[in-house]
């Protein structure tokens, strides 16, 4: 079979791929690991299919499946006696645990593994009330963190970022607040739009991939769309005129809001543009500059040294001081793998004609 043409729905309708997701068949696990190693271009699609499969089946993962497997066997032994042969989930007829799932609204077909015996075990357990406490995640300077949300969506947080879920996330809503930078891979759910609140804008989405950069001290708030469609509303009483008409962002476009720009001019009824929509930036290596950070690449495209210093602070957890104000306007274009900070400074120094001194966690550029 030509798996190279598979999309998300095709993977979800392949029985061996479902066995790979739950790790119930060692041969399937080996086959798909080997196949994905040989076809890295399909890794992202396969990963989306795997995460969607878990979501459609109550967030059952390979880990929870095997855990419940052991719990069930223990429960049967305890109830029926040691002389009863322990059941093996992996030996049951395939027809007893595979169920086809169809999502008609988007014509998306998906197949999931559901083991009836698990529900027997869970029905005997005391129901636990839904968790009502607000969840939050944070990353210190110099660190990144990947978070899987309760709805199956995945967020990668850059250094110095904070993410907070609203109470009732994935039950009554799918809303959260972000300070800093996050890359979102959102699970589709038309009934519950995924909404990201930042200080300046609100982003509404129903299932896509996008990057949000909303550090409080930055000059601009940005949203870069990779796949899908998002709707952006500008917040604040000063932006009421613009906020009434949401901006619909198309793939490969970037929304940029100048945080401290005035909302209107002196002439009544005339509103100055406070935001812009541009193409995302593609590097010479055909990567996306706005999301290179998720691949541990530090990318600058015609950026001033003052902004590069801020990014270095977030990446390495250091303090950067530019002692000579004239150096702030030096512009650089470069891509670095996440390596030693000294190597990056040396490379910038060669083309920027400046010096620096490193003292513990402080970099002084002069």
């Amino acid at each position: 079979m030509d798996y190279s043409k598979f999309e998300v729905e095709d993977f979800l309708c392949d029985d061996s791929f479902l066995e790979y997701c739950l790790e119930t068949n060692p041969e399937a696990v080996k086959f798909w690991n080997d196949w994905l190693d040989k076809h890295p271009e399909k890794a992202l699609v396969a990963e989306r299919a795997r995460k969607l499969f878990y979501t459609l089946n109550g967030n059952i993962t390979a880990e929870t499946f095997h855990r419940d497997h052991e719990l069930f066997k223990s429960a049967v032994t305890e109830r029926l006696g040691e002389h009863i042969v322990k059941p093996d989930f992996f030996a049951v007829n395939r027809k007893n645990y595979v169920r086809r799932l169809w999502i008609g609204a988007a014509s998306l077909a998906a197949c999931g593994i559901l083991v009836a015996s698990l529900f027997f075990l869970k029905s005997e357990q005391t129901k636990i009330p839904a968790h009502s406490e607000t969840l939050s995640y944070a990353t210190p300077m110099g660190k990144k963190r990947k978070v899987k949300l309760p709805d199956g969506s995945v967020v990668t947080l850059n250094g110095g970022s904070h993410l907070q879920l609203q109470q009732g996330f994935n039950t009554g809503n799918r809303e959260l607040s972000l300070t800093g930078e996050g890359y979102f891979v959102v699970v589709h759910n038309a009934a519950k739009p995924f909404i990201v609140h930042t200080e300046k804008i609100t982003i509404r989405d129903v299932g896509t991939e996008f990057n949000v950069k909303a550090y409080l001290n930055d000059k601009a708030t940005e949203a870069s769309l990779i796949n899908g469609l998002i709707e952006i509303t500008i917040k604040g009483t000063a932006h009421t005129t613009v906020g009434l008409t949401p901006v619909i962002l198309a793939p490969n476009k970037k929304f940029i809001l100048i945080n401290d720009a005035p909302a209107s001019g002196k002439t009544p009824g005339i509103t100055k543009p406070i935001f812009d929509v541009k193409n995302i930036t593609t590097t010479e290596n055909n990567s996306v500059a706005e999301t290179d950070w998720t691949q541990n690449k530090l990318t600058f495209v015609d950026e001033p040294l003052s902004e590069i210093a801020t990014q270095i602070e977030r990446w390495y957890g250091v303090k950067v001081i530019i002692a000579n104000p004239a150096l702030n306007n030096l512009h650089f274009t470069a891509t670095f793998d996440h390596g030693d900070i000294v190597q990056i400074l040396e490379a910038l120094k060669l083309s920027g004609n400046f010096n620096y001194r490193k003292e513990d966690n402080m970099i002084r550029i002069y």
Side-chain angles (χ1 to χ4, degrees):
M1 184 176 294
D2 186 5
Y3 294 109
S4 63
K5 298 181 180 179
F6 267 33
E7 297 300 330
V8 171
E9 58 268 28
D10 301 311
F11 281 114
L12 288 172
C13 285
D14 185 273
D15 290 343
S16 69
F17 184 80
L18 304 185
E19 293 173 334
Y20 157 74
C21 292
L22 288 182
E23 299 178 6
T24 57
N25 185 337
E27 293 182 1
V29 173
K30 183 179 185 306
F31 170 80
W32 284 106
N33 282 334
D34 292 343
W35 188 87
L36 288 170
D37 285 341
K38 295 177 182 177
H39 298 82
E41 74 280 1
K42 301 300 291 187
L44 182 58
V45 176
E47 181 64 10
R48 290 178 192 161
R50 188 174 67 89
K51 291 174 180 176
L52 182 56
F53 164 73
Y54 292 151
T55 301
L56 291 172
N57 290 277
N59 285 327
I60 294 176
T61 64
E63 180 181 356
T64 58
F65 181 89
H66 287 281
R67 183 191 65 205
D68 287 342
H69 175 202
E70 294 303 319
L71 287 172
F72 177 71
K73 289 197 298 185
S74 298
V76 170
T77 299
E78 180 180 349
R79 291 171 182 272
L80 303 181
E82 291 294 340
H83 63 282
I84 300 295
V85 177
K86 293 182 180 181
D88 188 350
F89 282 162
F90 310 145
V92 299
N93 188 304
R94 185 183 305 265
K95 293 180 180 179
N96 291 333
Y97 69 87
V98 176
R99 184 179 73 178
R100 301 287 179 182
L101 300 174
W102 298 91
I103 304 178
S107 299
L108 173 66
C111 304
I113 298 178
L114 295 174
V115 183
S117 303
L118 291 177
F119 293 97
F120 162 77
L121 172 64
K122 292 182 183 296
S123 66
E124 297 296 318
Q125 298 174 341
T126 302
K127 292 185 178 180
I128 301 175
H131 196 274
S132 60
E133 183 179 339
T134 301
L135 292 177
S136 63
Y137 309 90
T139 50
M141 292 292 196
K143 299 291 183 181
K144 296 182 183 66
R145 181 180 183 183
K146 183 173 287 188
V147 177
K148 185 173 183 180
L149 304 180
D151 70 332
S153 299
V154 176
V155 185
T156 304
L157 295 174
N158 207 347
S161 300
H162 182 263
L163 186 76
Q164 182 167 326
L165 309 188
Q166 285 198 7
Q167 186 170 351
F169 186 92
N170 200 37
T171 54
N173 67 78
R174 290 204 300 167
E175 298 189 37
L176 50 82
S177 299
L178 171 71
T179 301
E181 186 168 16
Y183 182 78
F184 295 80
V185 179
V186 179
V187 171
H188 178 81
N189 186 341
K192 293 179 183 176
F194 193 94
I195 299 175
V196 180
H197 298 280
T198 74
E199 184 184 35
K200 298 292 184 180
I201 63 175
T202 295
I203 301 162
R204 180 185 176 95
D205 160 70
V206 294
T208 186
E209 296 181 34
F210 59 95
N211 192 79
V212 180
K213 189 177 181 183
Y215 288 102
L216 295 178
N217 295 326
D218 279 6
K219 294 180 180 179
T221 297
E222 300 179 4
S224 303
L225 182 61
I226 308 304
N227 292 308
L229 202 70
I230 58 176
E231 177 186 280
I232 300 172
T233 303
I234 299 173
K235 287 183 174 180
T237 55
H239 306 317
T240 301
T241 302
V242 178
L244 291 176
T245 305
V247 178
I248 306 299
L249 204 62
N252 300 320
K253 296 291 185 179
K254 176 169 67 173
F255 170 93
I256 306 169
L257 171 69
I258 305 303
N259 291 333
D260 57 356
S264 60
K266 296 180 179 180
T267 304
I270 297 179
T271 301
K272 288 184 178 180
I274 57 173
F275 69 90
D276 197 4
V277 175
K278 299 181 179 180
N279 292 330
I280 60 174
T281 307
T282 304
T283 69
E284 293 181 355
N285 298 323
N286 293 321
S287 65
V288 177
E290 287 80 5
T291 60
D292 267 356
W293 68 270
T294 65
Q295 306 300 317
N296 281 326
K297 293 180 180 179
L298 191 57
T299 297
F300 315 124
V301 179
D302 194 27
E303 291 190 37
L305 184 60
S306 57
E307 294 184 15
I308 292 174
T310 300
Q311 292 189 50
I312 290 176
E313 288 180 336
R314 291 167 183 163
W315 272 66
Y316 293 97
V318 298
K319 179 64 178 176
V320 179
I321 298 175
I322 301 177
N324 182 358
L327 298 175
N328 283 322
N329 294 323
L330 289 176
H331 283 65
F332 297 85
T333 296
T335 297
F336 300 96
D337 288 331
H338 194 177
D340 183 73
I341 187 174
V342 173
Q343 294 176 342
I344 294 176
L345 291 170
E346 284 293 329
L348 296 175
K349 173 185 172 181
L350 288 175
S351 59
N353 193 27
F354 63 79
N355 290 306
Y356 71 91
R357 184 169 66 252
K358 186 176 185 299
E359 301 173 353
D360 297 326
N361 287 329
M362 185 179 71
I363 307 293
R364 183 177 295 274
I365 297 175
Y366 56 95

